[in-house]
């Protein structure tokens, strides 16, 4: 292959990157403006909210999670802790919390069956018309439930995803994941919400009308990503899924390479499982923007990232490594601008920009490697388990919220 072809491939790759960037910048900005124009100043009705917290070996994180829920500015809610057959002290801690805050907290226990099973079990005990699901390694800002109630003042909204941020940012690994959440995941969700095709309501914080959630059969255990699975199921059934940037949750992100690889491997394999499960929707205009853009993006984006990574490696080894370095430096300028834009929308710490300078050179290649590895495992039908991560108890709010 001639050197000229490599340069042409780089031009194509850069073109795709620019178009994708403009797509997310334009639509996320439009969503930001649209939400604020439509914002309801007061709640016309005050729905009762049931907060479901599924737990499996969460003794290190459950206290922080529940304490954040007990500090909510909204008052019409209950907290239901579902102990999914934990083998540590989770049940004891949960019962202690329920005893101290009996007017607000309840505990139900079941044998271990996975997160989807735990959430469905909790749904049986939920008394609210609105169900909020929160991972036990997450904490909510004090006005989160109030913002949920405001969003559901719109009768057309059946479900909504919240704004998930990394809590433990003290390490380089944590910093890069925080950059990814702000610049990548949340910016994308704003853009897709503007197109009414939100593909994932994160398990860290999500909210549903109970009747809509039960109408689609609750959570499914068919895939490793029950949060994406139920979101697509709602979309397929014709329900509107929104994104609420003020419904904020801080979650404990992995701090070791091993835990990070486990988490992302599950995410990628689970995504492929969902795409296969709902393959009839892919490219099908009968399912609106979700079928034409939402789901195809989740298929095409990983392919692009992997091909870009391969192009990067081959060019470094066979052509001109200095060209690659200069291209990456140019890309870094774009990433800095994009992150500054994202931090402005999210009212985030601009110091996150410091993470971009190493993010481009090793974190993004790491994501591409995980994608390749997981895709090969999926094609080879290698069994993938949930792979419980080690908890550190670092699910805390930033100082500005304390």
């Amino acid at each position: 292959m001639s050197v000229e072809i490599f340069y042409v491939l780089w031009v194509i790759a850069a073109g795709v990157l620019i178009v994708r960037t403009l797509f997310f910048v334009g639509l996320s900005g439009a969503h930001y403006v649209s939400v604020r124009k439509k914002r309801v100043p007061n709640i016309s009705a005050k729905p009762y909210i049931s907060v479901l917290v599924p737990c499996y070996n969460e003794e290190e994180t459950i206290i922080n999670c529940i304490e954040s829920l007990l500090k909510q500015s909204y008052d019409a809610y209950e907290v239901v802790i579902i102990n999914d057959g934990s083998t540590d002290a989770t049940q004891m801690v949960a019962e202690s919390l329920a005893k101290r805050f009996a007017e607000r907290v309840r505990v139900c226990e079941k044998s271990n069956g996975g997160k989807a099973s735990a959430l469905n079990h909790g749904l049986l005990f939920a008394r609210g018309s609105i169900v909020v699901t929160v991972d036990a390694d997450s904490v909510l800002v004090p006005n989160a439930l109030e913002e949920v109630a405001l969003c559901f003042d719109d009768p057309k909204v059946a479900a909504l995803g919240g704004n998930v941020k990394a809590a433990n940012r003290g390490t380089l690994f944590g910093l890069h994941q925080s950059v990814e959440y702000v610049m990548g995941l949340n910016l994308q969700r704003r853009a897709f919400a503007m197109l009414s095709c939100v593909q994932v309501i994160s398990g860290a914080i999500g909210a549903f009308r109970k009747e809509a959630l039960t109408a689609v059969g609750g959570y499914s255990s068919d895939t490793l990503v029950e949060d994406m699975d139920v979101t697509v199921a709602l979309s397929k059934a014709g329900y509107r899924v929104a994104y609420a940037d003020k419904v904020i949750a801080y979650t404990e992100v992995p701090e070791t390479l091993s835990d990070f690889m486990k988490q992302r491997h599950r995410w990628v394999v689970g995504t492929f499982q969902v795409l296969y499960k709902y393959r009839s929707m892919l490219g099908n205009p009968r399912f609106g923007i979700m079928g034409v853009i939402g789901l195809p993006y989740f298929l095409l984006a990983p392919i692009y990232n992997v091909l870009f990574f391969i192009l990067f490696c081959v060019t470094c080894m066979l052509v001109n490594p200095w060209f690659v370095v200069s291209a990456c430096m140019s890309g870094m300028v774009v990433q800095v601008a994009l992150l500054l834009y994202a931090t402005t929308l999210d009212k985030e710490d601009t110091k996150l920009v410091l993470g971009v300078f190493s993010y481009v050179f090793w974190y993004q290649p790491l994501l591409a490697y995980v994608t390749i590895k997981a895709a090969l495992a999926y094609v080879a039908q290698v069994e993938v388990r949930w792979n419980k991560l080690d908890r550190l108890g670092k699910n805390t709010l930033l100082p500005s919220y304390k």
Side-chain angles (χ1 to χ4, degrees):
M1 186 180 293
S2 66
V3 174
E4 288 76 12
I5 292 178
F6 278 99
Y7 291 137
V8 170
L9 291 175
W10 272 96
V11 170
I12 295 172
V16 173
L17 181 61
I18 291 170
V19 170
R20 189 166 75 169
T21 300
L22 292 175
F23 173 86
F24 287 122
V25 167
L27 288 174
S28 61
H31 178 266
Y32 179 86
V33 173
S34 173
V35 167
R36 274 142 190 81
K37 281 184 177 180
K38 296 178 181 177
R39 185 169 175 78
V40 179
N42 298 298
I43 307 171
S44 60
K46 205 170 188 179
Y48 192 70
I49 297 175
S50 294
V51 183
L52 305 184
V53 186
C55 300
Y56 175 68
N57 292 351
E58 297 286 358
E59 62 177 328
E60 296 292 339
T61 62
I62 186 64
I63 293 178
N64 290 347
C65 176
I66 301 303
E67 286 183 348
S68 78
L69 293 174
L70 294 172
K71 293 176 182 177
Q72 292 297 302
S73 58
Y74 194 75
D75 59 3
Y77 72 100
E78 65 174 350
V79 178
V80 181
I81 303 173
I82 309 104
N83 179 27
D84 188 36
S86 297
T87 57
D88 64 357
T90 295
Q91 179 69 15
M92 182 178 68
V93 174
E95 288 178 348
S96 174
L97 289 166
K99 185 176 181 179
R100 286 169 55 199
F101 307 102
E103 74 287 352
R104 187 75 75 188
V105 181
R106 290 186 291 150
V107 180
C108 54
E109 187 175 14
K110 62 181 289 295
S111 57
N112 182 252
K115 187 176 174 182
S117 171
L119 286 166
N120 288 335
H121 186 71
L123 196 59
L124 299 175
F125 295 87
R127 296 182 291 213
S129 60
I130 305 297
V131 173
V132 171
T133 59
V134 178
D135 283 346
D137 63 334
S138 298
V139 290
L140 302 190
V141 299
N143 68 333
L145 293 186
E146 187 173 349
E147 291 293 334
V148 166
L150 281 169
C151 291
F152 280 104
D153 211 52
D154 181 350
K156 295 179 182 178
V157 174
L160 62 88
N163 190 342
V164 183
K165 300 173 181 286
N168 43 326
R169 309 177 176 192
T171 65
L172 188 62
F173 218 177
L175 175 64
H176 284 143
Q177 289 174 85
S178 189
V179 169
E180 181 192 10
Y181 276 56
V182 173
M183 183 174 65
L185 302 180
N186 289 327
L187 205 61
Q188 288 181 19
R189 285 169 187 167
R190 288 178 192 272
F192 287 120
M194 191 63 197
L195 294 176
S196 298
C197 63
V198 176
Q199 309 98 323
V200 183
I201 295 176
S202 173
I205 173 64
F208 309 82
R209 292 194 190 277
K210 186 179 179 182
E211 61 180 6
L213 188 55
T214 54
V216 297
Y219 284 86
S220 171
S221 299
D222 292 345
T223 68
L224 291 167
V225 284
E226 71 293 319
D227 48 4
M228 181 179 182
D229 197 328
V230 75
T231 309
V232 178
L234 286 164
S235 179
K236 185 178 182 181
Y239 290 105
R240 181 184 167 195
V241 180
Y243 171 77
D245 60 351
K246 290 184 177 294
V247 179
I248 300 172
Y250 283 86
T251 189
E252 181 181 285
V253 296
E255 289 197 353
T256 66
L257 179 62
S258 174
D259 275 354
F260 177 82
M261 295 287 284
K262 288 177 185 178
Q263 181 196 64
R264 298 312 172 94
H265 191 86
R266 178 177 65 82
W267 285 8
V268 175
V269 171
T271 297
F272 286 133
Q273 290 174 336
V274 170
L275 291 174
Y276 182 77
K277 179 177 179 179
Y278 296 96
R279 58 192 180 280
S280 63
M281 295 177 67
L282 279 168
N284 191 338
R286 187 163 67 88
F287 297 101
I289 302 297
M290 178 65 85
V292 177
I293 296 178
L295 286 184
Y297 175 82
F298 265 53
L299 179 63
L300 296 175
I303 293 174
Y304 168 81
N305 293 338
V306 168
L307 291 177
F308 185 86
F309 176 66
I310 293 172
L311 178 62
F312 175 92
C313 294
V314 173
T315 306
C316 280
M317 292 185 293
L318 302 180
V319 186
N320 185 347
W322 293 111
F323 170 80
V324 175
V325 171
S326 62
C328 287
M329 294 300 290
S330 300
M332 192 180 297
V333 173
V334 175
Q335 297 270 34
V336 168
L338 186 60
L339 182 56
L340 286 173
Y341 172 76
T343 54
T344 300
L345 293 187
D346 245 10
K347 294 180 174 57
E348 262 286 1
D349 188 353
T350 54
K351 291 179 182 177
L352 290 177
V353 171
L354 298 175
V356 171
F357 298 100
S358 53
Y359 183 90
V360 173
F361 286 101
W362 77 269
Y363 189 76
Q364 287 183 318
L366 177 62
L367 290 176
Y369 168 73
V370 174
T371 302
I372 294 171
K373 186 172 181 289
L376 292 174
Y378 176 74
V379 171
Q381 297 186 332
V382 176
E383 183 181 5
V384 179
R385 297 181 180 275
W386 182 272
N387 287 323
K388 174 71 176 177
L389 307 183
D390 292 331
R391 298 305 189 197
L392 305 171
K394 294 186 177 182
N395 54 326
T396 58
L397 293 175
L398 295 189
S400 57
Y401 286 106
K402 293 181 180 179

